[in-house]
Amino acid sequence: ATLRATWTSRGGGAQTLDIDHVINCTGPGHGSVVATSPVLSSLAAAGLVREDGLGLGLDVTADNQAIGADGHPHRSLFVAGPLARSAHGELMGLPQVATQPREIARAVTRQLALATS
């Protein structure tokens, strides 16, 4: 599915772009991660993500799939970095920062292989 993203630069000019993927690398603010992020708010409103029970980020499975409002993991929506801290702890060290995205890349590769076979 393609997403249409519109943003306004600091200079005031609005731009719109059709995109296939969104990567939020800003890190969450504890306790209000969904409410303070337009991207996460829209994903939550669509039922694709939910906040974790600790208020640290998003609810995810052990293999980084986002858990939706219905309590089921979303097959093709993964969460990396600080937003997954309730499942993995604080991802501060280089080994964790490097390992988690690699695990997600492997999962996506497996899904793509299944989809094309």
Side-chain angles (χ1 to χ4, degrees), residues 40-104:
L40 297 179
S41 294
S42 64
L43 289 172
L48 299 175
V49 299
R50 68 181 184 187
E51 289 185 354
D52 65 67
L54 302 173
L56 297 175
L58 298 178
D59 201 4
V60 300
T61 64
D63 62 349
N64 304 300
Q65 289 178 308
I67 297 176
D70 62 1
H72 293 91
H74 192 282
R75 185 173 176 264
S76 61
L77 184 59
F78 294 86
V79 178
L83 287 171
R85 67 170 51 109
S86 71
H88 301 291
E90 196 67 50
L91 300 168
M92 295 300 290
L94 187 58
Q96 294 89 1
V97 171
T99 301
Q100 191 192 27
R102 187 172 36 245
E103 291 170 1
I104 291 172

Side-chain angles (χ1 to χ4, degrees), residues 18-47:
D18 291 331
I19 56 177
D20 294 321
H21 301 84
V22 174
I23 300 174
N24 179 353
C25 300
T26 61
H30 294 289
S32 60
V33 64
V34 171
T36 59
S37 169
V39 171
L40 297 179
S41 294
S42 64
L43 289 172

